[in-house]
């Protein structure tokens, strides 16, 4: 099991634990995350590398893993910095910065002064494209991930994470549907879910070209995503400045998507359409009060019957 620490002044630490049959954890090793406010960990398709996202300085790093023990097998092998070495503009909260839990105009302006990578999800088909929601720039970035070298090589494309209405979106997390060629992005600041059609054929073409040692230049600027829907996670009458979205999660059946609303204090439930030209798009089912404030993370149990918030 892997977990990480979170700090906007000091680099995060990533820790690897072995899990005993009774659930007891034993720390095996730890490593510097190579960036600040570490927020998301991904293991590649071959389980040879861990990819870590550092929210505050927006860096993405790759760390090799032992295929026998799961321990870290070496130091960081690659690092991507969308700022290209430039310093962070916004200040930390205790140094005059803003509270990132707020959603007013001045807070958003400060939060979007810098790029902020919030997650990294590899395509579920061949695992060669890494999708990164950038909360600071309202973009979903598409990177080529070299599986053989274990490196995020280059940015292939990027596109807006919403309707390009001129209002901030703040993409936070994303998930692929297990059956349909569809991807869902939750936008923290606009309280919306963006639904994208995924060009599976193009992803496989990129993978084949890379396997054959061909240049990927012809694929640059060609997005594998097409926005097909944007849907609100809160009722129209509720002010968006009083809410930010937390987690997005697909039910294991693939029939429902749940989003946590921090401010509206709810879980928004959406049904995934299963037929016709709108297959994969969403219809609102309703809202469930979480009986507590600021629901952030939630998870289904293995049966899919219980939801822990």
């Amino acid at each position: 099991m892997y977990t990480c620490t979170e700090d906007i002044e000091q680099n995060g630490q990533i820790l690897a634990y072995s899990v005993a049959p009774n659930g007891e954890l034993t720390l095996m090793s730890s490593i510097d995350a190579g960036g600040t406010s570490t927020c998301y960990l991904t293991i590649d398709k071959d389980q040879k590398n861990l990819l870590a996202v550092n929210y505050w300085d927006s860096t993405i790093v790759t760390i090799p893993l032992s295929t026998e023990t799961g321990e870290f097998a070496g130091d960081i092998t690659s690092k991507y910095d969308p700022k290209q070495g430039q310093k962070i503009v916004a200040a930390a909260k205790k140094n005059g910065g803003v509270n990132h839990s707020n959603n007013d105009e001045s807070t958003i302006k400060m939060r979007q002064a810098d790029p902020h990578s919030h997650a990294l999800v590899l395509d579920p088909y061949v695992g060669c494209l890494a999708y990164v929601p950038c909360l600071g720039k309202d973009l979903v970035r598409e990177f080529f991930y070299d599986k053989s070298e274990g490196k995020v090589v280059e940015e292939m494309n990027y596109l807006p994470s919403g309707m390009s209405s001129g209002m901030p979106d703040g993409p936070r997390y994303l998930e692929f549907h297990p059956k349909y060629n569809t991807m869902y992005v939750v936008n923290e600041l606009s309280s919306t879910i963006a639904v994208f059609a995924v060009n599976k054929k193009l992803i496989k073409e990129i993978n084949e070209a890379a396997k054959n040692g061909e240049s990927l230049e012809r694929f640059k600027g060609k997005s594998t995503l097409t926005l097909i829907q944007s849907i609100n996670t809160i009722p129209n009458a509720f002010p968006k400045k009083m809410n930010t979205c937390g987690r997005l999660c697909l039910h294991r059946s693939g029939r429902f998507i749940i989003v946590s609303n921090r401010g509206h204090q709810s879980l928004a439930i959406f049904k995934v359409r299963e037929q016709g030209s709108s297959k994969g798009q969403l219809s609102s089912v309703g809202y469930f009060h979480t009986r507590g404030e600021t629901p952030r993370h939630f998870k289904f149990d293995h049966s899919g019957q219980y939801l822990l918030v």
Side-chain angles (χ1 to χ4, degrees), residues 4-118:
C4 59
T5 63
E6 192 271 346
D7 192 305
I8 65 173
E9 294 184 322
Q10 304 296 325
N11 280 4
Q13 296 293 310
I14 305 173
L15 303 97
Y17 293 87
S18 62
V19 184
N22 65 356
E24 184 175 326
L25 301 179
T26 302
L27 179 64
M28 296 190 297
S29 56
S30 63
I31 195 167
D32 190 295
T36 47
S37 194
T38 311
C39 66
Y40 199 92
L41 307 176
T42 297
I43 297 174
D44 67 10
K45 205 172 183 68
D46 296 329
Q47 299 185 20
K48 292 181 178 180
N49 296 280
L50 181 145
L51 295 93
V53 176
N54 298 304
Y55 168 82
W56 187 252
D57 68 6
S58 202
T59 52
I60 301 165
V61 300
T62 307
I63 302 165
L65 301 175
S66 166
T67 54
E68 294 182 359
T69 66
E71 295 181 81
F72 302 118
D75 295 326
I76 291 171
T77 55
S78 73
K79 183 174 183 176
Y80 177 81
D81 181 2
K83 306 183 307 306
Q84 297 181 333
Q86 295 182 4
K87 291 184 178 180
I88 294 287
V89 175
K93 182 183 174 185
K94 70 177 185 178
N95 295 326
V98 297
N99 183 343
H100 282 216
S101 295
N102 295 336
N103 202 22
D104 57 277
E105 188 175 340
S106 61
T107 301
I108 291 172
K109 184 178 180 180
M110 189 69 74
R111 291 192 71 181
Q112 297 202 312
D114 304 290
H116 291 299
S117 302
H118 212 296

Side-chain angles (χ1 to χ4, degrees), residues 55 99-103 107-108 111-112 116 118 133 135-136 138 161 168-173 185-194 233-234 240-247 259-262 296:
Y55 168 82
N99 183 343
H100 282 216
S101 295
N102 295 336
N103 202 22
T107 301
I108 291 172
R111 291 192 71 181
Q112 297 202 312
H116 291 299
H118 212 296
L135 187 145
D138 293 333
S161 63
D169 280 310
R172 182 178 175 89
Y173 291 125
V185 179
V186 62
N187 288 310
E188 176 180 339
L189 304 180
S190 63
S191 296
T192 60
I193 301 174
T233 70
I234 53 176
K240 289 192 174 183
K241 68 179 181 180
M242 294 177 62
N243 188 73
T244 58
C245 290
R247 171 165 162 73
V259 170
S260 55
N261 286 310
R262 303 176 294 179
R296 188 181 184 92

Side-chain angles (χ1 to χ4, degrees), residues 217-233:
E217 197 65 30
R218 70 180 188 273
F219 297 109
K220 286 190 176 180
K222 291 184 178 181
S223 180
T224 60
L225 305 175
T226 302
L227 181 68
I228 56 175
Q229 186 188 25
S230 178
I231 188 168
N232 289 336
T233 70

Side-chain angles (χ1 to χ4, degrees), residues 219-287:
F219 297 109
K220 286 190 176 180
K222 291 184 178 181
S223 180
T224 60
L225 305 175
T226 302
L227 181 68
I228 56 175
Q229 186 188 25
S230 178
I231 188 168
N232 289 336
T233 70
I234 53 176
N236 291 334
F238 195 87
K240 289 192 174 183
K241 68 179 181 180
M242 294 177 62
N243 188 73
T244 58
C245 290
R247 171 165 162 73
L248 171 143
C249 181
L250 266 161
H251 187 266
R252 62 186 296 178
S253 67
R255 297 178 59 210
F256 298 98
I257 280 184
I258 318 292
V259 170
S260 55
N261 286 310
R262 303 176 294 179
H264 191 245
Q265 323 302 16
S266 67
L267 295 178
I269 304 166
F270 300 88
K271 183 175 176 60
V272 179
R273 298 174 192 167
E274 298 179 278
Q275 295 180 340
S277 60
S278 62
K279 184 186 292 186
Q281 295 186 37
L282 304 177
S283 301
S284 177
V285 174
Y287 309 93

